[in-house]
Amino acid sequence: MAQIRIGIAGYGNLGRGVEYAIKQSPDMTLEAVFTRRNPADLKINSDAKVVSMNDVAAYAGKIDVMILCGGSATDLPNQGPELAKYFNTIDSFDTHAKIPEYFAKMDSAHKAAGTAGIISVGWDPGLFSVNRMMAGAILPNGSDYTFWGKGVSQGHSDAIRRIKGVKDAKQYTVPIESAIDSVRNGENPELTTRQKHLRDCYVVLEEGADAEYVKNEIVNMPNYFADYDTTVNFISEAELKEKHSAMPHGGFVFRTGKTASGTSHVIEYSLKLESNPDFTSSVLVAYARAIYKMSKTGLTGAFSVFDVAPALLSPKSNEELRATLL
Amino acid sequence: MAQIRIGIAGYGNLGRGVEYAIKQSPDMTLEAVFTRRNPADLKINSDAKVVSMNDVAAYAGKIDVMILCGGSATDLPNQGPELAKYFNTIDSFDTHAKIPEYFAKMDSAHKAAGTAGIISVGWDPGLFSVNRMMAGAILPNGSDYTFWGKGVSQGHSDAIRRIKGVKDAKQYTVPIESAIDSVRNGENPELTTRQKHLRDCYVVLEEGADAEYVKNEIVNMPNYFADYDTTVNFISEAELKEKHSAMPHGGFVFRTGKTASGTSHVIEYSLKLESNPDFTSSVLVAYARAIYKMSKTGLTGAFSVFDVAPALLSPKSNEELRATLL
């Protein structure tokens, strides 16, 4: 089978996940992992080369798709347009408010270089977006509902860790079952922030820290916790490590709508993920296959998941897909 | 807003549903309904023209997309390739085993005429196919499960009506809750036909018919009922009309899979539809928008839902979709 040559830019949880997902993709080869660390110090889980990010330009023409595994806050805004000069790209840019700005930058970088890329790939943004969009096009007269969890929110865990006296913390976002049921039953509820999710925190204190102070800082923190029912559990460092090291996540996207004849319909899409980065990586790799095919047809510039026909995600031929999966 | 001119070929439940769905589509106009009946006898729910199917060729160039609302068994195999000579088409061809053959016929008819069409649009085949396909591309190491219902199966209801002594009947396909839960919990069960669905029948007898005979004919009918747990309820014609006239349907598509790192994931897509034809029609209309846009870019030939990028289904611009739904 002809091989799509993949590069990984950044080797954290997401980069490791991409490396694993490529092992399940017979049409792909991992060419190299690029890192800002000293390549000699990086142990990876495959035979691919480990290369300094400083030498990435030398791989232009040797890699078909570069999968960007850095973070949206500081890595991607600079790294994205820079790598678009040399490679087709896939990234998981997830700062929703800045997507138009990031798209414009990536689009012009890719067009100038004659390369192509898909931004904001993953499950939200990503698969959830595709489902919201398709369901809204099919049932234009209706309502959208998105619930997240149960899962670890990195941003909320980080916010707790910044409080004085906190040694470590994990925060779970938990969707409220009765709210989901009401939506699923087509009741079209109007739900406040507090009625949709609750927040469950597991906190390790520094020695001598004031538990009451920490708890108050958490539950009253604006934006992050103040609008939610929040539970704070103080536990030992050993227990946090033992019971809260995994990174599960998931969620639900609903569209409820009425046709002009007056009948009601519910479309539901949901994910239950044992590991958020592992699953996100699997999505990135499928879309890497798509941008490879799209660039082969001569397309250049930036795209989103909305621009990707489903068949492009699969290693199977259109004939096989129609015969077996339609 | 520029208008996409739609034609409806065949005015049954599906044709009526398409007519309703167009009312919710500000970018579409229903140009005409084509019928094999006497046009003067057909009352429709809009101001569109009603035209004899014999005169359909005169509408070439006046209709952007013809939505074929006939059945897969006898209508579409002939009507599809014939109408493809004059129009871009959308149809809901759903005889799974004959899809490759039908696709080939539509593809050559469309290519010869310079038109384009999407076959097998709806929810299964259609949205369920898209979800099976995408989920399998993302989690290549895993299992697919599809459950249908609770909903009316036209084919099974017809099979009962053919039994001597049966005046009328409705059959509900009911997915078995405990099987769904097992799949949803990631238990990867091996399920027999009997463990996935049960069949619930409501039967009106002809006067003097032998109820025991009818019941035995139903529950032992090969392919249709013999492999299932089947309940037969004899009711009056009035009760059938009052309680079983609606056409609800729906179902569930699951993909459960493991990444190479060993973590497990569940993708679920489900529909709960108050009216099967109304919802199917809404899907047809969204894909009519897509084939209109695809033909405008110069594409000809037959396509499936696998070839359609999500954005093509929406009347919104790519910029708006990215800013609001990504």
Side-chain angles (χ1 to χ4, degrees), chain A residues 13-313:
Chain A
N13 288 326
L14 214 51
R16 264 191 299 275
V18 167
E19 187 179 26
Y20 277 117
I22 290 169
K23 290 180 205 272
Q24 292 185 337
S25 307
D27 58 340
M28 293 186 177
T29 304
L30 177 57
E31 200 63 28
V33 171
F34 297 88
T35 179
R36 283 175 303 198
R37 292 176 260 179
N38 176 3
D41 296 344
L42 193 66
K43 274 191 69 174
I44 65 171
N45 298 314
S46 66
D47 299 333
K49 285 188 280 287
V50 180
V51 179
S52 167
M53 194 69 92
N54 299 326
D55 302 328
V56 72
Y59 282 77
K62 296 180 189 161
I63 282 174
D64 295 311
V65 184
M66 184 69 81
I67 303 182
L68 279 52
C69 298
S72 299
T74 56
D75 299 332
L76 295 177
N78 299 310
Q79 217 177 58
E82 183 60 28
L83 292 173
K85 290 183 194 166
Y86 310 107
F87 306 102
N88 299 317
T89 62
I90 293 290
D91 69 58
S92 60
F93 186 81
D94 67 356
T95 313
H96 287 262
K98 293 191 175 165
I99 282 175
E101 181 192 331
Y102 183 67
F103 181 88
K105 276 211 259 178
M106 290 301 279
D107 193 46
S108 63
H110 275 303
K111 279 189 176 139
T115 55
I118 308 173
I119 70 156
S120 302
V121 177
W123 58 275
D124 197 4
L127 301 178
F128 274 20
S129 322
V130 166
N131 274 280
R132 272 191 290 263
M133 203 236 89
M134 289 181 67
I138 290 161
L139 296 175
N141 177 26
S143 309
D144 288 317
Y145 296 89
T146 303
F147 295 89
W148 293 275
K150 182 184 175 177
V152 174
S153 162
Q154 220 52 59
H156 287 79
S157 301
D158 289 346
I160 298 173
R161 285 191 207 104
R162 285 192 294 264
I163 296 169
K164 193 174 138 68
V166 172
K167 189 169 186 188
D168 204 353
K170 275 284 168 78
Q171 192 269 183
Y172 295 92
T173 305
V174 185
I176 295 175
E177 203 65 45
S178 59
I180 293 180
D181 286 343
S182 170
V183 171
R184 192 177 280 142
N185 292 334
E187 295 165 14
N188 277 304
E190 297 227 1
L191 298 165
T192 63
T193 298
R194 194 179 298 274
Q195 288 169 327
K196 289 182 71 183
H197 298 93
L198 51 85
R199 301 203 173 276
D200 205 9
C201 311
Y202 293 84
V203 180
V204 181
L205 292 174
E206 304 271 13
E207 227 181 278
D210 178 349
E212 206 49 37
Y213 165 82
V214 167
K215 187 178 165 177
N216 274 322
E217 286 292 299
I218 295 174
V219 301
N220 297 312
M221 196 186 297
N223 303 318
Y224 285 86
F225 295 98
D227 299 333
Y228 299 85
D229 288 337
T230 301
T231 317
V232 180
N233 308 278
F234 294 104
I235 61 174
S236 70
E237 193 163 14
E239 189 179 346
L240 189 80
K241 203 170 169 172
E242 189 197 324
K243 296 188 184 160
H244 304 284
S245 287
M247 284 171 287
H249 220 311
F252 304 80
V253 173
F254 289 93
R255 177 81 180 177
T256 60
K258 252 190 171 39
T259 51
S261 57
T263 55
S264 294
H265 309 276
V266 180
I267 304 176
E268 175 176 351
Y269 181 78
S270 75
L271 297 172
K272 198 157 69 182
L273 312 175
E274 211 169 273
S275 161
N276 184 358
D278 285 2
F279 183 78
T280 301
S281 308
S282 299
V283 181
L284 296 179
V285 167
Y287 278 88
R289 183 178 291 118
I291 199 66
Y292 172 76
K293 295 182 191 173
M294 289 164 75
S295 81
K296 284 282 173 207
T297 69
L299 289 172
T300 64
F303 299 90
S304 81
V305 291
F306 299 148
D307 303 309
V308 179
L312 298 173
L313 303 175

Side-chain angles (χ1 to χ4, degrees), chain B residues 72-314:
Chain B
S72 299
T74 56
D75 299 330
L76 295 177
N78 299 311
Q79 217 178 58
E82 183 60 26
L83 292 174
K85 290 183 194 167
Y86 310 108
F87 306 102
N88 299 317
T89 62
I90 293 292
D91 70 57
S92 60
F93 186 82
D94 66 357
T95 313
H96 287 264
K98 294 191 175 165
I99 282 175
E101 181 192 329
Y102 183 67
F103 181 88
K105 276 211 259 176
M106 290 299 280
D107 193 47
S108 62
H110 274 304
K111 279 189 177 139
T115 55
I118 308 173
I119 70 155
S120 301
V121 177
W123 59 274
D124 196 3
L127 300 178
F128 273 20
S129 322
V130 166
N131 274 279
R132 272 191 290 264
M133 204 237 89
M134 289 181 68
I138 290 162
L139 296 175
N141 177 27
S143 308
D144 288 316
Y145 296 89
T146 303
F147 296 89
W148 292 275
K150 183 186 175 176
V152 174
S153 162
Q154 219 53 57
H156 288 78
S157 302
D158 290 345
I160 299 174
R161 285 191 206 104
R162 285 191 296 263
I163 296 170
K164 191 175 138 68
V166 172
K167 189 167 185 189
D168 203 352
K170 274 284 169 77
Q171 192 267 184
Y172 295 92
T173 306
V174 185
I176 294 174
E177 203 65 44
S178 58
I180 293 180
D181 286 343
S182 171
V183 171
R184 192 177 279 143
N185 293 333
E187 294 165 15
N188 276 303
E190 298 228 2
L191 298 166
T192 63
T193 298
R194 194 177 297 273
Q195 289 169 325
K196 289 182 72 183
H197 298 93
L198 51 85
R199 301 203 172 277
D200 205 9
C201 312
Y202 293 84
V203 180
V204 181
L205 293 173
E206 305 270 13
E207 227 181 278
D210 179 347
E212 205 51 35
Y213 166 81
V214 168
K215 186 178 167 178
N216 275 322
E217 286 292 299
I218 295 174
V219 301
N220 297 313
M221 195 185 297
N223 302 320
Y224 284 87
F225 293 99
D227 299 333
Y228 298 84
D229 289 337
T230 301
T231 316
V232 180
N233 309 278
F234 294 105
I235 60 175
S236 70
E237 195 165 12
E239 189 179 345
L240 190 80
K241 203 171 167 169
E242 188 197 326
K243 295 187 184 162
H244 303 285
S245 288
M247 284 171 286
H249 219 312
F252 303 80
V253 173
F254 289 93
R255 177 80 181 177
T256 59
K258 252 190 171 37
T259 52
S261 57
T263 54
S264 295
H265 309 276
V266 180
I267 303 176
E268 175 177 351
Y269 182 77
S270 75
L271 296 173
K272 199 157 67 181
L273 313 176
E274 212 169 272
S275 160
N276 185 356
D278 285 1
F279 184 78
T280 300
S281 309
S282 300
V283 181
L284 296 179
V285 167
Y287 277 89
R289 184 178 291 121
I291 200 65
Y292 172 76
K293 295 183 192 174
M294 289 164 74
S295 81
K296 283 281 172 206
T297 70
L299 289 171
T300 65
F303 299 89
S304 81
V305 290
F306 299 148
D307 303 309
V308 179
L312 299 174
L313 303 175
S314 175

